[in-house]
Amino acid sequence: MEIYDPGQSRQEQRKEKSQKDKEQRVFFHRSALNDWTPLWEKIAFFLLGFLGLQAISFLTSGIISLSGLVQSDYSTAVSLNNFLAYLLLLIAFMLFLVLDKRKSWKRVLEDFKDPKAYGYALICVGAIYLVNLLFSLMYSGIEFYGDNENQEIIAQGVTTNPALMFFSVAIFAPICEELTYRVGLVDSIGHKRRWLGVLLSSVIFGAIHFDWLSCLSYLFAGEDSGIDRFLVLNELLNLPVYISSGLVLGFTYALSGRISSAIVGHAVNNTLSFIAMFAL
């Protein structure tokens, strides 16, 4: 006959709970979106943002081309295309969240109600500034280093169409990109392997801001492509800057456990960059 020992039982329970807590303990905070949202939905977020943006941009650019605006005012055509593409993608994300039977939109809104989220966002903005400052100091001796193609297009758009570019750069893009690469990709990897998701999302984040067309043209055709090799080198120098910024945003989301922190941090950083371009 087994002797029941209440004291021993409590001790075993405490030991079991301690072991379980130890096994579940990870560096990153848990996210309500990560815990609540099924894997297929996270992957859908990533595909919607990554492939959806390409498809929408292709469609809107075709419509704008048919209007003749590209020939008459190329800068406005590019700015309008960015505005429409990100606006339509944002609407698609909002419909996805609202129509979701799990009511994921409520969890997103709850994130924005937490004051701690804005503390993480401020740290995020400061970290991105330090990253950019560090690379500027590292590249200070390189004469051809400067804005890459993505930054030049934005700068030109800010000068000619500030209203369109403000909404695209400071509001629409941060929301769409954070839902795509943080919720969609970081969370898809899983909670215990979130560091891998952060790394992967940062690399892809850098890649989407890279001028692949010019660089691949130069790679296969060389000088015959008509592309200056310094332009290609400048793109390559800017790539780690974007990847590092993606790392900061990824860690902001993973450490805070709140998508609002990454969205606000991204939006504030882009707004400050917009103001700097507009002021110049």
Side-chain angles (χ1 to χ4, degrees), residues 140-266:
S140 60
I142 303 176
E143 294 183 2
F144 60 83
Y145 173 70
D147 292 343
N148 71 344
E149 180 71 12
N150 178 75
Q151 292 167 316
E152 288 184 355
I153 290 174
I154 293 175
Q156 187 175 4
V158 168
T159 302
T160 56
N161 302 278
L164 288 176
M165 292 306 296
F166 175 78
F167 283 101
S168 301
V169 172
I171 300 176
F172 300 160
I175 298 174
C176 292
E177 291 178 358
E178 293 312 306
L179 290 176
T180 300
Y181 299 104
R182 258 47 81 177
V183 174
L185 195 54
V186 173
D187 280 353
S188 294
I189 303 299
H191 183 60
K192 290 189 176 181
R193 296 186 299 276
R194 256 181 165 190
W195 60 269
L196 181 59
V198 170
L199 290 176
L200 183 58
S201 67
S202 66
V203 171
I204 298 178
F205 182 78
I208 65 171
H209 295 91
F210 185 77
D211 185 5
W212 289 98
L213 181 60
S214 297
C215 292
L216 289 175
S217 297
Y218 183 84
L219 177 64
F220 289 108
E223 299 294 339
D224 294 335
S225 64
I227 297 172
D228 188 349
R229 66 186 180 93
F230 291 113
L231 182 149
V232 176
L233 291 173
N234 186 54
E235 286 290 332
L236 292 171
L237 289 175
N238 274 278
L239 183 58
V241 181
Y242 279 106
I243 292 176
S244 298
S245 296
L247 276 173
V248 172
L249 290 165
F251 275 114
T252 298
Y253 174 49
L255 288 171
S256 67
R258 301 169 180 84
I259 191 57
S260 56
S261 297
I263 291 176
V264 173
H266 196 159

Side-chain angles (χ1 to χ4, degrees), residues 25-275:
R25 189 179 300 129
V26 290
F27 183 68
F28 299 122
H29 291 296
R30 300 202 69 87
S31 163
L33 281 173
N34 190 10
D35 291 338
W36 182 259
T37 310
L39 179 60
W40 72 265
E41 197 167 308
K42 299 170 190 175
I43 295 174
F45 263 72
F46 172 67
L47 294 178
L48 176 61
F50 184 71
L51 298 179
L53 180 62
Q54 309 303 319
I56 294 171
S57 182
F58 179 78
L59 177 63
T60 53
S61 64
I63 295 173
I64 293 173
S65 295
L66 291 175
S67 70
L69 184 61
V70 175
Q71 293 75 22
S72 61
D73 191 344
Y74 179 76
S75 179
T76 298
V78 172
S79 300
L80 181 60
N81 184 55
N82 283 329
F83 175 83
L84 291 175
Y86 274 111
L87 173 61
L88 292 174
L89 180 60
L90 179 60
I91 292 173
F93 269 121
M94 294 302 101
L95 288 174
F96 195 109
L97 289 169
V98 171
L99 296 177
D100 181 11
K101 63 181 181 181
R102 295 174 181 81
K103 298 182 179 180
S104 299
W105 62 273
K106 288 188 176 181
R107 283 160 181 77
V108 174
L109 290 180
E110 285 297 321
D111 273 3
F112 282 94
K113 293 179 181 178
D114 191 340
K116 292 182 180 178
Y118 300 94
Y120 279 103
L122 289 176
I123 295 173
C124 173
V125 174
I128 292 177
Y129 172 79
L130 290 176
V131 164
N132 283 278
L133 178 62
L134 177 61
F135 277 104
S136 296
L137 293 174
M138 288 173 57
Y139 296 156
S140 60
I142 303 176
E143 294 183 2
F144 60 83
Y145 173 70
D147 292 343
N148 71 344
E149 180 71 12
N150 178 75
Q151 292 167 316
E152 288 184 355
I153 290 174
I154 293 175
Q156 187 175 4
V158 168
T159 302
T160 56
N161 302 278
L164 288 176
M165 292 306 296
F166 175 78
F167 283 101
S168 301
V169 172
I171 300 176
F172 300 160
I175 298 174
C176 292
E177 291 178 358
E178 293 312 306
L179 290 176
T180 300
Y181 299 104
R182 258 47 81 177
V183 174
L185 195 54
V186 173
D187 280 353
S188 294
I189 303 299
H191 183 60
K192 290 189 176 181
R193 296 186 299 276
R194 256 181 165 190
W195 60 269
L196 181 59
V198 170
L199 290 176
L200 183 58
S201 67
S202 66
V203 171
I204 298 178
F205 182 78
I208 65 171
H209 295 91
F210 185 77
D211 185 5
W212 289 98
L213 181 60
S214 297
C215 292
L216 289 175
S217 297
Y218 183 84
L219 177 64
F220 289 108
E223 299 294 339
D224 294 335
S225 64
I227 297 172
D228 188 349
R229 66 186 180 93
F230 291 113
L231 182 149
V232 176
L233 291 173
N234 186 54
E235 286 290 332
L236 292 171
L237 289 175
N238 274 278
L239 183 58
V241 181
Y242 279 106
I243 292 176
S244 298
S245 296
L247 276 173
V248 172
L249 290 165
F251 275 114
T252 298
Y253 174 49
L255 288 171
S256 67
R258 301 169 180 84
I259 191 57
S260 56
S261 297
I263 291 176
V264 173
H266 196 159
V268 171
N269 178 74
N270 284 13
T271 300
L272 293 176
S273 298
F274 176 89
I275 293 172

